[in-house]
């Protein structure tokens, strides 16, 4: 054993080993002191500790394949410098943007994420010396050998007595290292299924696979995206225009413009399914507030409204609601194409048709689903992400701050927005695995064999109660009268593989459970509140793709010139075939789900020969065509060739999400006369006192409602 070790020490493997260990230590320093990766289980700790090793070793072993000794060492030195730079630049970048550098940022291609600026020097910290110590040592040796000893063979003099490993041996070591990387990937996939396919968040990839894997993966994605663009463009643009002409539906005159000029609130209910409404558990309503809201005469709600997301989940729902286009067949549009594509999204449309100011309130990190970049391409003026809220003690669960804190703590920003505004709230508490402490919400847990199902009702109840508190605030502060509120569920919370456990709670027999029932459970709420709206429950079949044209028409903006694939839900001619992202569909007559056709009315399984009827074929064609057109637009970035009359394309560079509180106050002064904020309208009196919450966090710390956290002035809020 000792002998073997000595042999390795004296072999040319020693340099790759030392460089790998060096890279490993630096990665661990960065993980500990600079990156906030949110490690939450022992497995994640283990993966984090070992993830830098396999790829770094491969990288430093590769130069050994070069025969020429001088070239070999030069390559090794270049790689050592590159690897050190990769860590150091990412550390500095992270301090500025709370995110990792993508290939687009490094090459400066990205329109939205500016690279590091000259001011980055200010971001250096004393411990950064450890990131470059090795380079100083290497440079020292080279200078010593070359300048002082004047040795020409300075590079090859490093190892006097060296035994060389055979080429075969070297190749096998490289193979083993690559294999261990795949082992790491498999464990990561177990902990976080579809890690690479869905690319949730760059933090996740670094957490599980390390910074090298992230950079390679991002490079691969970038090349892939570049290759998609560029071909067959003209033909596709024509197809899209034709589709739009054939499918555009006018607004229903009864509703057109009834909310013109009003503030718009879009409230995204995380993982919230329709069946929760009016559901009683142990004698208690899960959603008492929403149930009462639906009965309100100013509320219009839809009970045959379906989510249409793919793997991009929340981000797909946002894509549909903001742009009127679908997410992608695989992965997330937000994480791949959205940031560099030309978008004609709601914030820009509303800014140019009614002088709206737009803002998103969301208590997760800015980079999750790449929002910090995509929102710029959409033209969002403000993005209040986690650093804008107090992140202490028990303020966060799962994916960010609790919903009640989100609604409450955002008021101090909201009330300074110039009106009218378009404000989007993305809730998170009702997210898988739906854990919530009893002292935060005491709604009873269910008692099925599936803990996720059991938890679901409590977090949903909490979300409902958060909405009640926010509505109460809107009402008592007088904002409600001047606003239209759109509330929708983004996608299922209980996945199909858990539905059998849910079945008894819905009075269904788990043994009779089939895909028809799975399809029906994809219903999510769509609730529109507007003072003076002719309310009621609307039974039209529709999906998330239809919300944008419906909303714009309510605001008095015709969608004729915009490429949006949905149709106004309030036009009686609305096409009621709801396309799921995987080409399944639901309509008032047929439901097609994973190869089987059902009668939508009674759930009866229909004869497969129906598939050959003209009626069914036409339905399927419509679904496929709609998805195809959406993919063409997104994959080929077609909106860059189509600018609606009078529409000014968005310039993402104009937007940034740093120091937004100061910016708000400054803008408030300028916008005073034409677009006064709520604060100005209330004669400089804050409305925060109109908000009342029973969340223990806010009861104990009421000051959180009033002052922004001091962290918003720190450099890492630069997004
Ligand atoms: C996190 C949240 C969750 O920011 O939007 O996304 P999801 O996992 O539902 O797609
Ligand atoms: Mn979601």
């Amino acid at each position: 054993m000792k002998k073997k070790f000595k042999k390795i020490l004296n072999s040319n493997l020693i340099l790759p080993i030392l460089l790998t260990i060096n890279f490993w230590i630096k990665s661990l320093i960065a993980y500990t002191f600079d990156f906030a990766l949110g490690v939450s289980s022992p497995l994640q700790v283990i993966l984090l500790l070992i993830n830098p090793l396999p790829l770094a070793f491969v990288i430093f072993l590769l130069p050994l394949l070069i025969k020429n000794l001088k070239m070999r060492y030069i390559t090794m030195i270049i790689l050592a410098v590159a690897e050190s730079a990769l860590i150091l630049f990412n550390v500095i970048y992270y301090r500025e943007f709370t995110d990792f550098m993508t290939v687009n940022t490094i090459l400066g291609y990205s329109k939205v994420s500016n690279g590091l600026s000259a001011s980055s020097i200010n971001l250096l910290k004393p411990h950064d010396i450890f990131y470059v110590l090795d380079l100083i040592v290497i440079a020292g040796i080279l200078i010593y050998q070359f300048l002082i000893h004047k040795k020409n063979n300075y590079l090859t003099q490093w190892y006097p007595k060296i035994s060389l490993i055979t080429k075969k041996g070297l190749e096998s070591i490289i193979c083993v290292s690559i294999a261990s990387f795949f082992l790491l990937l498999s464990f990561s996939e177990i902990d976080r299924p579809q890690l690479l396919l869905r690319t949730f968040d760059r933090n996740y990839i670094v957490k599980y696979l390390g910074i090298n894997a992230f950079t390679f993966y991002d490079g691969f994605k970038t090349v892939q995206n570049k290759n998609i663009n560029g071909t067959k463009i003209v033909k596709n643009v024509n197809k899209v225009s034709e589709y739009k002409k054939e499918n555009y539906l006018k607004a229903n005159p009864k509703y057109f413009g009834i909310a013109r000029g009003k503030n718009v609130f879009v409230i995204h209910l995380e993982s919230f399914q329709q069946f929760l409404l009016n559901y009683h558990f142990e004698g208690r309503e899960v959603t008492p507030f929403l149930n009462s809201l639906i009965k309100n005469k100013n509320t219009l709600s839809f009970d045959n409204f379906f989510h249409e997301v793919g793997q991009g989940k929340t981000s797909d729902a946002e894509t549909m609601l903001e742009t009127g286009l679908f997410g992608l067949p695989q992965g997330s549009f937000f994480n791949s194409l959205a940031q560099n594509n030309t978008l004609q999204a709601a914030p820009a449309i509303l800014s140019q048709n009614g002088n709206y100011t737009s803002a998103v309130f969301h208590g997760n990190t800015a980079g999750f689903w790449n929002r910090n970049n995509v929102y710029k391409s959409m033209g969002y003026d403000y993005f209040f992400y986690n650093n804008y809220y107090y992140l202490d003690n028990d303020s966060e669960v799962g994916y960010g701050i609790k919903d009640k804190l989100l609604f409450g703590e955002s008021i101090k920003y909201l009330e300074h927005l110039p009106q009218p505004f378009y404000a989007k709230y993305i809730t998170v508490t009702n997210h898988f695995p739906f854990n919530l402490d009893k002292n935060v919400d005491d709604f009873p847990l269910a008692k099925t064999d599936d803990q996720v199902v059991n938890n679901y009702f409590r977090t949903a109840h909490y979300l409902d109660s958060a909405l009640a508190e926010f509505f109460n605030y809107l009402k008592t502060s007088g904002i409600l009268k001047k606003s239209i509120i759109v509330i929708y569920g983004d996608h299922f919370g209980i996945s199909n593989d858990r539905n059998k456990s849910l079945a008894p709670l819905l009075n269904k027999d788990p043994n009779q459970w089939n895909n028809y029932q799975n399809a029906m459970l994809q219903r999510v709420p769509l609730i529109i509140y507007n003072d003076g709206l002719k309310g009621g429950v609307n039974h039209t079949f529709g999906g998330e793709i239809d919300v944008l044209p419906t909303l714009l028409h309510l605001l008095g903006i015709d969608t004729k010139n915009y490429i949006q694939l949905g149709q106004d839900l309030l036009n009686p001619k609305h096409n009621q075939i709801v396309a799921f992202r995987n080409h399944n569909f639901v309509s008032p007559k047929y439901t097609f789900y994973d190869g089987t056709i059902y009668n939508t009315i009674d759930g009866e399984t229909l004869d497969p020969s129906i598939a050959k009827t003209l009626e069914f074929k036409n339905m399927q064609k419509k679904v496929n065509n709609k998805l195809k057109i959406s993919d063409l637009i997104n994959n080929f970035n077609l909106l860059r060739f189509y600018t609606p009359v009078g529409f000014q394309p968005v310039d993402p560079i104009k937007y940034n999400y740093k120091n937004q509180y100061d910016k708000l106050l400054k803008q408030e002064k300028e916008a005073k006369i034409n677009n006064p904020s709520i604060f100005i309208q209330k004669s400089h009196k804050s409305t925060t006192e109109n908000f009342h919450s029973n969340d223990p966090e806010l009861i104990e710390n009421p000051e959180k409602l009033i002052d922004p956290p001091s962290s918003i002035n720190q450099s890492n809020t630069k997004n």
Side-chain angles (χ1 to χ4, degrees):
M1 188 68 195
K2 238 183 173 177
K3 241 181 159 181
K4 220 174 178 182
F5 188 63
K6 254 195 168 160
K7 212 171 146 194
I8 292 181
L9 273 188
N10 276 329
S11 80
N12 53 354
L13 280 182
I14 187 65
L15 201 50
I17 292 177
L18 286 178
L19 288 172
T20 305
I21 294 176
N22 174 47
F23 178 82
W24 182 48
I25 294 172
K26 289 202 281 188
S27 297
L28 296 187
I29 295 176
Y31 291 167
T32 318
F33 298 107
D34 292 300
F35 302 151
L37 298 175
V39 180
S40 59
S41 72
L43 175 66
Q44 289 183 9
V45 176
I46 296 170
L47 294 175
L48 189 73
L49 285 179
I50 57 174
N51 74 26
L53 290 170
L55 280 188
F57 197 37
V58 174
I59 289 172
F60 291 122
L61 279 172
L62 287 176
L64 295 188
L65 293 168
I66 301 172
K67 281 218 175 75
N68 179 310
L69 272 194
K70 203 168 185 171
M71 276 312 289
R72 175 188 298 178
Y73 288 118
I74 289 179
T75 315
M76 226 173 245
I77 289 169
I78 291 175
L79 286 176
V81 173
E83 287 285 87
S84 295
L86 185 70
I87 295 203
L88 181 65
F89 288 157
N90 267 298
V91 163
I92 299 173
Y93 190 82
Y94 199 93
R95 284 178 197 147
E96 190 150 332
F97 298 102
T98 346
D99 200 357
F100 295 95
M101 292 174 82
T102 61
V103 172
N104 273 334
T105 352
I106 296 170
L107 300 178
Y109 288 153
S110 168
K111 290 187 291 177
V112 282
S113 37
N114 306 329
L116 291 167
S117 55
S119 63
S120 308
I121 297 287
N122 300 332
L123 297 168
L124 290 176
K125 290 189 177 169
H127 75 262
D128 291 347
I129 189 74
F130 291 109
Y131 296 123
V132 287
L133 208 58
D134 55 332
L135 297 184
I136 297 173
V137 173
I138 294 176
I141 293 174
L142 292 180
I143 291 169
Y144 176 79
Q145 296 225 0
F146 187 56
L147 290 180
I148 305 185
H149 276 238
K150 301 246 183 302
K151 280 183 183 165
N152 282 335
N153 54 350
Y154 57 96
L155 283 173
T156 49
Q157 280 284 304
W158 282 12
Y159 303 111
K161 295 175 280 161
I162 222 158
S163 68
L164 294 177
I165 182 164
T166 61
K167 194 166 173 231
K168 252 208 164 131
L170 180 64
E171 282 167 359
S172 3
I173 297 178
I174 292 179
C175 285
V176 171
S177 310
I178 294 178
S180 45
F181 172 75
F182 281 101
L183 197 67
L184 180 75
L185 182 62
S186 329
F187 276 107
S188 310
E189 284 276 338
I190 293 170
D191 201 55
R192 187 91 230 176
Q194 301 181 317
L195 174 69
L196 292 184
L197 217 54
R198 286 185 61 196
T199 33
F200 308 81
D201 181 354
R202 295 189 248 281
N203 274 307
Y204 280 43
I205 303 189
V206 174
K207 174 163 93 176
Y208 286 105
L209 304 175
I211 196 95
N212 274 323
F214 163 71
T215 310
F216 284 134
Y217 178 71
D218 183 64
F220 169 74
K221 279 272 172 203
T222 311
V223 173
Q224 212 183 27
N225 291 344
K226 286 220 153 49
N227 287 344
I228 293 173
N229 295 334
T231 41
K232 299 192 225 154
I233 298 281
V234 179
K235 225 168 115 195
N236 290 335
V237 174
N238 292 341
K239 267 194 216 159
V240 170
S241 318
E242 269 165 40
Y243 182 89
K244 172 71 197 186
K245 253 187 236 142
E246 281 166 26
N247 290 279
Y248 161 73
L249 263 197
K250 276 212 301 256
N252 181 335
K254 269 206 271 180
Y255 291 96
F256 187 75
I258 58 161
R260 195 190 303 270
K262 281 192 165 184
N263 293 323
V264 180
F265 286 89
V266 172
I267 306 180
H268 173 114
L269 305 184
E270 179 56 46
S271 306
F272 200 96
Q273 289 173 240
Q274 173 82 7
F275 78 83
L276 292 163
L277 300 179
N278 289 316
Y279 185 80
H280 287 71
F281 182 73
E282 292 186 0
R284 281 178 71 177
E285 285 176 280
V286 181
T287 61
F289 170 70
L290 284 175
N291 299 345
S292 69
L293 184 69
I294 286 170
K295 287 193 201 107
N296 189 301
K297 65 174 182 358
N298 297 314
T299 305
L300 181 67
S301 67
F302 294 81
D303 61 357
N304 285 314
F305 179 78
F306 292 79
H307 82 78
E308 298 171 286
V309 307
Q311 288 167 336
K313 301 285 283 291
T314 291
S315 68
D316 280 359
E318 288 189 63
T319 301
M320 286 181 274
L321 267 96
E322 302 287 10
T323 71
L325 301 173
F326 287 92
L328 298 175
Q330 264 112 38
S332 154
F333 177 61
F334 264 44
N335 265 333
S336 52
L337 304 168
Q339 100 178 61
N340 287 321
N341 271 11
T342 295
L343 306 179
Q344 286 150 14
I349 297 174
L350 290 173
S351 152
Q352 298 180 32
N353 294 274
N355 206 7
Y356 276 77
T357 299
S358 50
V360 182
F361 301 94
H362 181 49
N364 196 358
T365 52
F368 201 98
W369 287 130
N370 200 20
R371 287 183 173 107
N372 50 344
N373 292 319
V374 177
Y375 286 162
K376 292 176 187 171
S377 290
M378 289 181 168
Y380 261 112
D381 298 310
Y382 295 93
F383 175 23
F384 297 97
Y385 54 94
N386 67 346
N387 284 357
Y388 283 88
Y389 309 92
Y390 286 87
L391 301 171
D392 48 21
N393 307 328
D394 299 323
S395 57
E396 291 183 278
V397 278
Y399 285 77
I401 67 156
K402 285 180 289 179
D403 299 338
K404 289 186 182 178
L405 308 187
L406 173 78
F407 286 120
E409 290 182 40
S410 62
I411 292 171
K412 58 174 131 14
Y413 307 122
L414 178 81
E415 66 181 4
H416 292 294
L417 286 175
Q419 297 182 87
F421 51 70
Y422 170 64
K424 168 156 89 168
Y425 284 76
I426 307 173
T427 62
V428 287
T429 311
N430 188 47
H431 192 290
F432 178 88
F434 311 107
N435 283 328
L436 193 63
D437 228 60
K438 203 174 170 194
N439 73 334
V440 181
D441 193 298
D442 66 355
F443 198 81
L445 301 182
K447 294 169 194 69
T448 71
D449 57 357
D450 188 330
Q451 197 51 41
V452 170
V453 173
N454 299 346
N455 291 346
Y456 188 50
F457 300 92
R458 174 179 289 171
T459 47
H461 179 265
Y462 174 83
L463 173 51
D464 180 78
S465 153
L467 288 171
E469 290 177 359
F470 191 54
F471 258 74
N472 187 42
Y473 158 77
L474 293 177
K475 205 168 172 180
T476 56
S477 61
I479 300 171
L480 193 61
K481 277 202 305 287
K482 295 185 284 184
S483 309
I484 176 166
I485 325 266
V486 178
I487 302 176
Y488 81 105
D490 67 342
H491 49 75
F492 59 88
I494 305 300
S495 52
N496 286 349
D497 56 333
R498 298 179 191 276
N499 279 345
K500 280 194 177 171
S501 303
L502 177 68
L505 295 176
L506 305 177
N507 288 327
K508 297 265 157 62
D509 179 356
N511 301 316
Q512 305 282 312
W513 194 265
N514 65 10
N515 268 332
Y516 168 75
Q517 275 130 340
N518 284 334
M520 295 302 113
L521 276 187
Q522 305 314 309
R523 281 188 176 90
V524 289
L526 173 65
I527 301 166
I528 301 175
Y529 177 94
N530 178 60
D531 212 27
L533 181 73
K534 203 174 136 293
V537 181
N538 184 311
H539 306 301
T540 304
F541 278 65
E544 286 166 328
I545 199 77
D546 302 314
V547 179
L548 184 59
T550 310
L551 174 63
L552 290 178
H553 287 170
L554 287 169
L555 294 171
I557 301 165
D558 191 3
T559 57
K560 191 171 182 188
N561 293 324
Y562 294 100
I563 305 282
Q564 293 161 0
L565 302 182
Q567 292 179 331
D568 189 333
L569 287 161
L570 296 166
N571 184 321
K573 288 200 197 117
H574 177 85
N575 162 18
Q576 297 198 73
I577 309 163
V578 187
F580 292 167
R581 183 54 264 197
N582 59 4
H583 298 255
N584 287 339
F585 64 85
V586 175
S587 74
K589 187 168 181 183
Y590 296 133
T591 292
F592 177 67
Y593 206 87
D594 285 356
T596 310
I597 307 168
Y598 303 93
N599 179 336
T600 302
I601 297 165
D602 57 14
E604 189 196 337
T605 308
L606 298 175
D607 194 274
S609 63
I610 301 268
K612 297 204 182 85
T613 62
L614 196 64
E615 188 186 16
F616 185 87
K617 273 190 183 159
N618 269 338
M619 284 188 176
Q620 202 157 32
K621 207 167 126 193
K622 278 211 165 101
V623 168
N624 294 345
N625 201 24
K626 196 170 177 178
L627 293 165
K628 193 173 109 193
I629 292 289
S630 177
D631 294 344
L632 278 180
I633 298 170
N634 287 335
N635 284 329
F636 292 94
N637 186 13
L638 291 186
L639 293 186
R640 71 196 141 134
F641 303 111
Y642 176 85
T643 309
V645 188
F647 183 81
Q648 205 52 39
V650 173
D651 182 1
I653 283 182
K654 286 197 191 139
Y655 300 87
N656 76 60
Y657 303 130
K658 58 185 175 185
N659 302 329
Q660 295 179 108
Y661 189 60
D662 292 346
K663 204 163 87 187
L664 261 183
L665 300 186
K666 204 174 142 230
Q667 189 167 351
E668 188 172 57
K669 280 192 196 135
E670 289 161 9
K672 227 185 221 163
I673 308 158
N674 293 331
N675 300 78
S677 65
I678 293 162
F679 183 74
I680 298 274
Q681 279 179 339
K682 299 264 167 199
S683 316
H684 294 243
K685 194 170 169 292
S686 174
T687 57
T688 48
E689 58 194 48
N690 290 75
F691 183 80
H692 302 286
S693 176
N694 65 4
D695 193 287
E697 202 62 29
L698 284 178
I699 293 175
E700 276 164 41
N701 311 290
E703 71 286 353
K704 285 185 177 181
L705 293 177
I706 298 157
D707 304 312
S710 55
S711 59
I712 66 166
N713 296 319
Q714 282 166 15
S715 55
N716 67 354
T717 57
K718 275 194 167 190
N719 271 289

